[in-house]
Amino acid sequence: MSAPQQPADVPVIAIDGPSGTGKGTIAGALARRLGWHLLDSGALYRCLGLAAERSGIDLDDGDALGALAARTTVRFDGERVLLDGEDVGDEIRTAEAGPRASRVAVHPQVRDALLSWQRAAARPPGLIADGRDMGSTVFPDAALKIYLDASPEERAKRRYKQLIDKGIDANLHDLVKTLRERDALDRGRRHSPLTVAEGAFVIDSTALPIDQVLECVIDAVRRALPAIDVGTRDVSPH
Ligand code: C5P
């Protein structure tokens, strides 16, 4: 059965880009500002990677992973991410969880299994969809497509600071290397690679503080969706 199309009457804002660009923070702040739903699609791949590891499934076995995706449930409850009912918020944010998610994400069987689930997240009044292929594959008719970018060195520095602030030991050189590897996997895969979707508005955040990135995004929303009230609610992205 083919996946359902994006509901025509629900506006979607797609925010794509590589890891460490502040996408998740911007997507969350924008969802609060507009009062819209939020889809953190990366969390789905992270959950699936964790479920695969727990079940002892080989991360190169696309068929087994596709079947696992079809029988696994992931639910978002505020800040909590529930994998088959269990809160796995910490387990899916470890250093290994990102690269493991990228390995799971290369398989078309997995991507197909997650497609209808992601499209079903488009519910009124609207959806902010955060990921790698939101504008290119999952929501090609999105009302606005944003592509957030930043240099690998800057992204690694941000990640380094986050880890050190949390008291976790980190090595900047290793972080740059891991980020580059993950970028290569995400950009080089055959199915739904990370790419700038047609018509996307590209923002390079290398030299921009997060508040200014949010301002750029809100300006883009005003231009693309003039009928939407972007409000003035305080949605500090920090
Ligand atoms: O965004 P996040 O870092 O949580 O994503 C983890 C991994 O999941 C990414 O590196 C990517 O391989 C995969 N992913 C994807 N498509 C998406 C979202 C995430 O392939 N829409």
Side-chain angles (χ1 to χ4, degrees):
M1 197 176 67
S2 62
Q5 296 304 302
Q6 167 186 341
D9 50 344
V10 181
V12 173
I13 297 177
I15 305 186
D16 290 304
S19 20
T21 49
K23 258 179 323 115
T25 308
I26 294 294
L30 191 60
R32 287 196 298 281
R33 176 99 172 219
L34 301 182
W36 286 13
H37 298 283
L38 175 67
L39 171 66
D40 172 3
S41 61
L44 298 179
Y45 293 95
R46 287 170 180 266
C47 279
L48 200 62
L50 177 63
E53 176 151 309
R54 286 178 171 179
S55 318
I57 294 176
D58 181 352
L59 298 186
D60 294 324
D61 186 344
D63 287 336
L65 289 169
L68 177 69
R71 64 173 185 268
T72 297
T73 64
V74 177
R75 211 160 50 77
F76 297 96
D77 176 20
E79 299 283 290
R80 299 191 319 147
V81 182
L82 304 172
L83 168 62
D84 291 330
E86 177 195 342
D87 185 357
V88 292
D90 290 335
E91 286 96 324
I92 62 165
R93 301 286 163 207
T94 61
E96 309 81 58
R100 189 172 57 203
S102 294
R103 285 186 60 194
V104 162
V106 300
H107 301 290
Q109 299 92 324
V110 168
R111 306 200 75 88
D112 286 350
L114 296 183
L115 196 55
S116 17
W117 197 96
Q118 294 176 87
R119 288 192 176 146
R123 281 174 287 121
L127 178 73
I128 309 295
D130 159 7
R132 303 289 185 294
D133 61 342
M134 298 295 100
S136 57
T137 304
V138 181
F139 299 110
D141 298 325
L144 173 65
K145 300 177 187 182
I146 306 263
Y147 186 92
L148 265 190
D149 211 349
S151 73
E153 291 74 17
E154 176 60 28
R155 291 186 279 131
K157 265 194 232 159
R158 292 175 190 167
R159 179 77 183 132
Y160 178 80
K161 187 171 177 311
Q162 276 173 354
L163 291 170
I164 297 297
D165 286 351
K166 280 193 202 160
I168 301 171
D169 199 20
N171 176 303
L172 188 57
H173 178 79
D174 290 349
L175 287 174
V176 175
K177 184 168 169 281
T178 310
L179 263 182
R180 285 187 186 280
E181 284 166 3
R182 188 131 73 99
D183 284 358
L185 205 55
D186 287 349
R187 292 198 172 105
R189 67 175 173 235
R190 280 186 55 198
H191 302 277
S192 297
L194 169 64
T195 179
V196 181
E198 210 184 317
F201 178 61
V202 180
I203 302 174
D204 188 327
S205 76
T206 306
L208 283 184
I210 197 89
D211 315 55
Q212 282 186 31
V213 177
L214 182 60
E215 279 312 311
C216 285
V217 170
I218 289 173
D219 277 351
V221 174
R222 282 200 182 98
R223 283 196 301 272
L225 295 151
I228 298 288
D229 177 11
V230 295
T232 51
R233 213 176 315 183
D234 177 21
V235 290
S236 167
H238 303 290

Coordinates of all heavy atoms in Angstrom, one line a residue, residues 40-76 81-84 86 88 91-93 96-115 117-118:
D40 N 9.8 15.6 15.5 CA 11.2 15.5 15.5 C 11.5 14.1 14.9 O 11.6 13.1 15.5 CB 11.6 15.5 17.0 CG 13.1 15.1 17.2 OD1 13.8 14.9 16.2 OD2 13.6 15.0 18.4
S41 N 11.7 14.2 13.5 CA 11.8 12.9 12.8 C 13.1 12.2 13.2 O 13.2 10.9 13.1 CB 11.7 13.1 11.3 OG 12.7 13.9 10.8
G42 N 14.1 12.9 13.5 CA 15.4 12.3 13.9 C 15.2 11.3 15.1 O 15.8 10.3 15.2
A43 N 14.3 11.7 16.0 CA 14.0 10.9 17.2 C 13.5 9.5 16.8 O 13.7 8.5 17.4 CB 13.1 11.6 18.1
L44 N 12.7 9.5 15.6 CA 12.2 8.2 15.2 C 13.3 7.2 14.8 O 13.3 6.1 15.1 CB 11.3 8.4 13.9 CG 10.1 9.2 14.1 CD1 9.3 9.4 12.8 CD2 9.2 8.6 15.2
Y45 N 14.3 7.8 14.0 CA 15.4 7.0 13.6 C 16.3 6.6 14.8 O 16.9 5.5 14.8 CB 16.2 7.7 12.5 CG 15.4 7.8 11.2 CD1 14.7 9.0 11.0 CD2 15.4 6.8 10.3 CE1 14.0 9.1 9.8 CE2 14.6 6.9 9.1 CZ 13.9 8.1 8.9 OH 13.2 8.2 7.7
R46 N 16.4 7.5 15.7 CA 17.2 7.2 16.9 C 16.5 6.1 17.7 O 17.2 5.2 18.2 CB 17.4 8.4 17.8 CG 18.3 9.5 17.2 CD 18.3 10.8 18.0 NE 19.2 11.7 17.4 CZ 20.4 11.9 17.8 NH1 20.9 11.3 18.9 NH2 21.2 12.8 17.2
C47 N 15.2 6.1 17.9 CA 14.5 5.1 18.6 C 14.6 3.8 17.9 O 14.8 2.7 18.5 CB 13.0 5.5 18.7 SG 12.6 6.6 20.0
L48 N 14.5 3.8 16.6 CA 14.6 2.5 15.9 C 16.0 1.9 16.0 O 16.1 0.7 16.2 CB 14.3 2.8 14.4 CG 13.9 1.5 13.7 CD1 12.6 0.9 14.3 CD2 13.7 1.8 12.2
G49 N 17.0 2.8 16.0 CA 18.4 2.3 16.2 C 18.5 1.6 17.6 O 19.1 0.5 17.7
L50 N 17.9 2.2 18.6 CA 18.0 1.7 19.9 C 17.2 0.4 20.0 O 17.7 -0.6 20.5 CB 17.4 2.7 20.9 CG 17.3 2.3 22.4 CD1 18.7 2.0 22.9 CD2 16.6 3.4 23.2
A51 N 16.0 0.4 19.4 CA 15.2 -0.9 19.4 C 16.0 -2.0 18.7 O 15.9 -3.2 19.1 CB 13.9 -0.6 18.7
A52 N 16.7 -1.7 17.6 CA 17.4 -2.7 16.9 C 18.5 -3.2 17.7 O 18.7 -4.5 17.8 CB 18.0 -2.1 15.6
E53 N 19.2 -2.3 18.4 CA 20.3 -2.8 19.2 C 19.8 -3.7 20.3 O 20.4 -4.8 20.6 CB 21.1 -1.6 19.8 CG 22.1 -2.1 20.8 CD 23.3 -1.1 20.8 OE1 23.8 -0.7 19.8 OE2 23.6 -0.7 22.0
R54 N 18.7 -3.3 21.0 CA 18.2 -4.1 22.0 C 17.7 -5.5 21.6 O 17.7 -6.5 22.3 CB 17.0 -3.4 22.7 CG 17.4 -2.2 23.5 CD 16.2 -1.5 24.1 NE 16.5 -0.5 25.1 CZ 15.6 0.2 25.7 NH1 14.3 0.1 25.4 NH2 15.9 1.1 26.6
S55 N 17.2 -5.5 20.3 CA 16.7 -6.8 19.8 C 17.8 -7.6 19.1 O 17.5 -8.7 18.5 CB 15.6 -6.6 18.7 OG 14.7 -5.6 19.1
G56 N 19.0 -7.1 19.1 CA 20.1 -7.8 18.4 C 20.0 -7.9 16.9 O 20.5 -8.8 16.3
I57 N 19.3 -6.9 16.3 CA 19.2 -6.9 14.8 C 20.4 -6.2 14.2 O 20.8 -5.1 14.7 CB 17.8 -6.2 14.4 CG1 16.7 -7.0 14.9 CG2 17.8 -6.0 12.9 CD1 15.3 -6.4 14.7
D58 N 20.9 -6.8 13.2 CA 22.1 -6.3 12.4 C 21.7 -5.0 11.8 O 20.6 -4.9 11.1 CB 22.4 -7.3 11.4 CG 23.6 -6.9 10.6 OD1 24.1 -5.8 10.7 OD2 24.1 -7.8 9.8
L59 N 22.4 -3.9 12.0 CA 22.1 -2.6 11.4 C 22.2 -2.5 9.9 O 21.8 -1.5 9.3 CB 22.9 -1.5 12.1 CG 22.8 -1.3 13.6 CD1 23.6 -0.1 14.0 CD2 21.3 -1.2 14.0
D60 N 22.8 -3.6 9.3 CA 22.8 -3.6 7.8 C 21.7 -4.5 7.2 O 21.6 -4.6 6.0 CB 24.2 -4.3 7.4 CG 25.3 -3.3 7.8 OD1 25.1 -2.1 7.7 OD2 26.4 -3.9 8.2
D61 N 20.8 -5.0 8.1 CA 19.7 -5.9 7.6 C 18.5 -5.1 7.4 O 17.6 -4.9 8.3 CB 19.5 -7.0 8.6 CG 18.5 -8.1 8.1 OD1 17.8 -7.8 7.1 OD2 18.5 -9.2 8.7
G62 N 18.3 -4.5 6.2 CA 17.2 -3.6 5.9 C 15.8 -4.3 6.1 O 14.9 -3.6 6.6
D63 N 15.7 -5.5 5.7 CA 14.4 -6.2 5.8 C 14.0 -6.3 7.2 O 12.8 -6.0 7.6 CB 14.4 -7.6 5.1 CG 14.4 -7.4 3.6 OD1 14.0 -6.4 3.1 OD2 14.9 -8.4 2.9
A64 N 14.9 -6.8 8.1 CA 14.6 -7.0 9.5 C 14.3 -5.6 10.1 O 13.4 -5.5 11.0 CB 15.8 -7.7 10.2
L65 N 15.1 -4.6 9.7 CA 14.8 -3.3 10.3 C 13.5 -2.7 9.9 O 12.8 -2.0 10.7 CB 16.0 -2.3 9.9 CG 17.3 -2.6 10.6 CD1 18.4 -1.8 10.0 CD2 17.2 -2.4 12.1
G66 N 13.1 -2.9 8.6 CA 11.8 -2.5 8.1 C 10.7 -3.1 8.9 O 9.7 -2.5 9.3
A67 N 10.8 -4.4 9.1 CA 9.8 -5.2 9.9 C 9.8 -4.6 11.3 O 8.7 -4.5 11.9 CB 10.1 -6.7 9.9
L68 N 10.9 -4.4 11.9 CA 11.0 -3.8 13.3 C 10.3 -2.4 13.3 O 9.5 -2.2 14.2 CB 12.5 -3.7 13.7 CG 12.7 -3.0 15.1 CD1 12.2 -4.0 16.2 CD2 14.2 -2.7 15.3
A69 N 10.5 -1.6 12.3 CA 9.9 -0.3 12.2 C 8.4 -0.4 12.2 O 7.7 0.4 12.8 CB 10.4 0.5 11.0
A70 N 7.9 -1.4 11.5 CA 6.4 -1.6 11.3 C 5.8 -2.0 12.6 O 4.6 -1.7 12.9 CB 6.1 -2.6 10.2
R71 N 6.5 -2.7 13.5 CA 5.9 -3.1 14.8 C 6.3 -2.3 16.0 O 5.9 -2.6 17.1 CB 6.2 -4.6 15.0 CG 7.6 -5.0 15.2 CD 7.8 -6.5 15.6 NE 9.1 -6.8 15.9 CZ 10.1 -7.2 15.1 NH1 9.7 -7.4 13.8 NH2 11.3 -7.4 15.5
T72 N 7.1 -1.3 15.8 CA 7.5 -0.4 16.9 C 6.7 0.8 17.0 O 6.3 1.4 16.0 CB 9.0 0.0 16.6 OG1 9.8 -1.2 16.6 CG2 9.6 0.9 17.7
T73 N 6.4 1.2 18.2 CA 5.6 2.5 18.4 C 6.5 3.5 19.0 O 7.2 3.2 20.0 CB 4.3 2.3 19.2 OG1 4.7 2.0 20.5 CG2 3.4 1.3 18.6
V74 N 6.5 4.7 18.5 CA 7.2 5.9 19.1 C 6.1 6.9 19.4 O 5.3 7.3 18.5 CB 8.3 6.4 18.2 CG1 9.0 7.6 18.9 CG2 9.3 5.3 17.9
R75 N 6.1 7.4 20.6 CA 5.1 8.5 20.9 C 5.8 9.6 21.6 O 6.8 9.4 22.4 CB 4.0 7.9 21.8 CG 2.7 8.5 21.7 CD 1.6 7.6 22.3 NE 1.8 7.1 23.6 CZ 1.7 7.9 24.7 NH1 1.3 9.1 24.6 NH2 2.0 7.4 25.9
F76 N 5.4 10.9 21.3 CA 6.0 12.0 21.9 C 5.0 12.5 22.9 O 3.8 12.7 22.6 CB 6.3 13.1 20.9 CG 7.3 12.7 19.8 CD1 6.9 12.2 18.6 CD2 8.6 12.8 20.1 CE1 7.8 11.8 17.7 CE2 9.6 12.4 19.2 CZ 9.2 11.9 17.9
V81 N 10.1 11.0 25.0 CA 10.0 10.2 23.8 C 9.8 8.8 24.3 O 10.6 8.2 25.0 CB 11.3 10.3 23.0 CG1 11.1 9.5 21.7 CG2 11.6 11.7 22.6
L82 N 8.7 8.2 23.9 CA 8.3 6.9 24.4 C 8.5 5.8 23.3 O 7.8 5.9 22.3 CB 6.9 6.9 24.9 CG 6.6 7.9 26.0 CD1 5.1 8.0 26.3 CD2 7.3 7.6 27.3
L83 N 9.4 4.9 23.6 CA 9.6 3.8 22.6 C 8.8 2.6 23.2 O 9.2 2.1 24.3 CB 11.1 3.5 22.5 CG 11.5 2.2 21.8 CD1 11.0 2.2 20.4 CD2 13.0 2.0 21.9
D84 N 7.8 2.2 22.5 CA 6.9 1.1 23.0 C 6.6 1.4 24.5 O 6.6 0.5 25.3 CB 7.6 -0.3 22.8 CG 7.7 -0.7 21.3 OD1 6.8 -0.2 20.6 OD2 8.6 -1.4 21.0
E86 N 8.1 3.1 26.8 CA 9.2 3.4 27.7 C 9.9 4.7 27.4 O 10.2 4.9 26.2 CB 10.2 2.2 27.7 CG 11.4 2.4 28.6 CD 12.5 1.5 28.2 OE1 12.3 0.4 27.6 OE2 13.7 1.8 28.6
V88 N 12.7 6.9 26.6 CA 14.1 6.6 26.2 C 14.8 7.9 25.9 O 15.8 7.9 25.1 CB 14.1 5.6 25.0 CG1 13.7 4.2 25.4 CG2 13.3 6.2 23.8
E91 N 18.6 7.7 26.5 CA 19.3 6.6 25.6 C 19.4 7.0 24.2 O 20.3 6.6 23.5 CB 18.5 5.3 25.7 CG 18.7 4.5 27.0 CD 17.5 4.8 27.9 OE1 17.0 6.0 28.0 OE2 17.1 3.9 28.7
I92 N 18.4 7.8 23.7 CA 18.5 8.2 22.3 C 19.4 9.4 22.0 O 19.6 9.9 20.9 CB 17.2 8.4 21.6 CG1 16.4 9.5 22.2 CG2 16.4 7.1 21.6 CD1 15.2 10.0 21.4
R93 N 20.0 10.0 23.1 CA 20.8 11.2 22.9 C 22.3 10.9 23.3 O 23.1 11.8 23.5 CB 20.3 12.4 23.8 CG 18.9 12.8 23.5 CD 18.8 13.6 22.2 NE 17.3 13.6 21.8 CZ 16.9 13.8 20.6 NH1 17.8 13.9 19.6 NH2 15.7 13.8 20.3
E96 N 26.6 7.5 20.8 CA 26.5 6.4 19.8 C 25.1 6.5 19.1 O 25.0 5.9 18.0 CB 26.5 5.0 20.4 CG 27.6 4.7 21.4 CD 27.4 5.2 22.8 OE1 26.4 4.9 23.4 OE2 28.2 6.0 23.3
A97 N 24.1 7.1 19.7 CA 22.8 7.0 19.2 C 22.6 7.7 17.8 O 21.9 7.2 16.9 CB 21.8 7.6 20.2
G98 N 23.4 8.8 17.6 CA 23.3 9.5 16.3 C 23.8 8.7 15.1 O 23.1 8.5 14.2
P99 N 25.1 8.3 15.2 CA 25.7 7.4 14.2 C 24.8 6.2 13.9 O 24.6 5.7 12.8 CB 27.1 7.1 14.7 CG 27.4 8.2 15.6 CD 26.1 8.7 16.2
R100 N 24.3 5.6 15.0 CA 23.5 4.3 14.9 C 22.2 4.7 14.1 O 21.8 3.9 13.2 CB 23.2 3.8 16.3 CG 22.5 2.5 16.3 CD 22.4 2.0 17.8 NE 21.7 2.9 18.6 CZ 21.8 3.0 19.9 NH1 22.6 2.2 20.6 NH2 21.1 3.8 20.6
A101 N 21.6 5.8 14.4 CA 20.4 6.2 13.7 C 20.7 6.4 12.2 O 19.9 6.0 11.4 CB 19.8 7.5 14.3
S102 N 21.9 7.0 11.9 CA 22.2 7.2 10.5 C 22.4 5.9 9.8 O 22.1 5.8 8.6 CB 23.5 8.0 10.4 OG 23.4 9.3 10.9
R103 N 22.9 4.9 10.4 CA 23.0 3.6 9.8 C 21.7 3.0 9.5 O 21.4 2.4 8.4 CB 23.9 2.6 10.6 CG 25.3 3.0 10.6 CD 26.2 2.0 11.3 NE 26.1 0.7 10.7 CZ 26.5 -0.4 11.3 NH1 27.1 -0.3 12.5 NH2 26.5 -1.6 10.8
V104 N 20.8 3.1 10.5 CA 19.4 2.5 10.3 C 18.7 3.3 9.2 O 17.9 2.7 8.4 CB 18.7 2.7 11.6 CG1 17.2 2.6 11.5 CG2 19.2 1.7 12.7
A105 N 19.0 4.6 9.1 CA 18.2 5.5 8.2 C 18.6 5.3 6.7 O 17.9 5.8 5.8 CB 18.5 7.0 8.5
V106 N 19.6 4.5 6.4 CA 20.0 4.4 5.0 C 19.0 3.4 4.2 O 18.9 3.4 3.0 CB 21.4 3.8 4.7 CG1 22.4 4.8 5.3 CG2 21.6 2.4 5.3
H107 N 18.3 2.6 5.0 CA 17.5 1.5 4.4 C 16.1 2.0 3.9 O 15.3 2.5 4.7 CB 17.3 0.3 5.4 CG 18.6 -0.2 5.9 ND1 19.4 -1.0 5.1 CD2 19.2 -0.1 7.1 CE1 20.5 -1.3 5.7 NE2 20.4 -0.8 7.0
P108 N 15.8 1.8 2.6 CA 14.5 2.2 2.1 C 13.3 1.5 2.9 O 12.3 2.1 3.0 CB 14.5 1.8 0.6 CG 15.7 0.9 0.5 CD 16.6 1.1 1.6
Q109 N 13.6 0.3 3.3 CA 12.5 -0.4 4.0 C 12.1 0.3 5.3 O 10.9 0.4 5.7 CB 12.9 -1.9 4.5 CG 13.3 -2.8 3.3 CD 14.8 -2.7 3.0 OE1 15.4 -1.7 3.1 NE2 15.4 -3.9 2.6
V110 N 13.1 0.9 6.0 CA 12.9 1.7 7.2 C 12.2 3.0 6.8 O 11.2 3.4 7.4 CB 14.2 2.0 7.9 CG1 14.1 3.0 9.0 CG2 14.8 0.7 8.4
R111 N 12.7 3.7 5.8 CA 12.2 5.0 5.5 C 10.7 4.8 5.0 O 9.8 5.6 5.4 CB 13.0 5.7 4.4 CG 14.5 5.8 4.7 CD 15.2 6.8 4.0 NE 14.8 8.2 4.4 CZ 15.5 8.8 5.4 NH1 16.5 8.3 6.1 NH2 15.1 10.0 5.8
D112 N 10.4 3.8 4.2 CA 9.0 3.6 3.8 C 8.1 3.3 5.0 O 7.0 3.8 5.1 CB 8.9 2.4 2.9 CG 9.5 2.7 1.5 OD1 9.8 3.9 1.2 OD2 9.7 1.8 0.7
A113 N 8.6 2.5 5.9 CA 7.7 2.2 7.1 C 7.4 3.4 7.9 O 6.4 3.5 8.5 CB 8.4 1.1 8.0
L114 N 8.3 4.4 7.9 CA 8.1 5.6 8.8 C 7.4 6.7 8.0 O 7.0 7.7 8.7 CB 9.5 6.1 9.3 CG 10.3 5.2 10.2 CD1 11.5 5.9 10.7 CD2 9.4 4.8 11.4
L115 N 7.2 6.5 6.7 CA 6.6 7.6 5.9 C 5.2 8.0 6.4 O 4.9 9.1 6.6 CB 6.7 7.3 4.5 CG 6.5 8.4 3.5 CD1 7.4 9.5 3.7 CD2 6.6 7.9 2.0
W117 N 3.6 7.3 9.0 CA 3.6 7.8 10.4 C 3.9 9.3 10.5 O 3.3 10.1 11.2 CB 4.6 6.9 11.2 CG 4.4 7.0 12.7 CD1 3.7 6.2 13.5 CD2 4.8 8.1 13.6 NE1 3.7 6.6 14.8 CE2 4.4 7.8 14.8 CE3 5.6 9.3 13.4 CZ2 4.6 8.6 15.9 CZ3 5.8 10.1 14.5 CH2 5.4 9.7 15.7
Q118 N 4.9 9.6 9.7 CA 5.4 11.1 9.7 C 4.3 11.9 9.1 O 4.0 13.0 9.6 CB 6.7 11.2 9.0 CG 7.9 10.5 9.7 CD 9.1 10.6 8.8 OE1 9.9 11.5 9.0 NE2 9.4 9.6 8.0

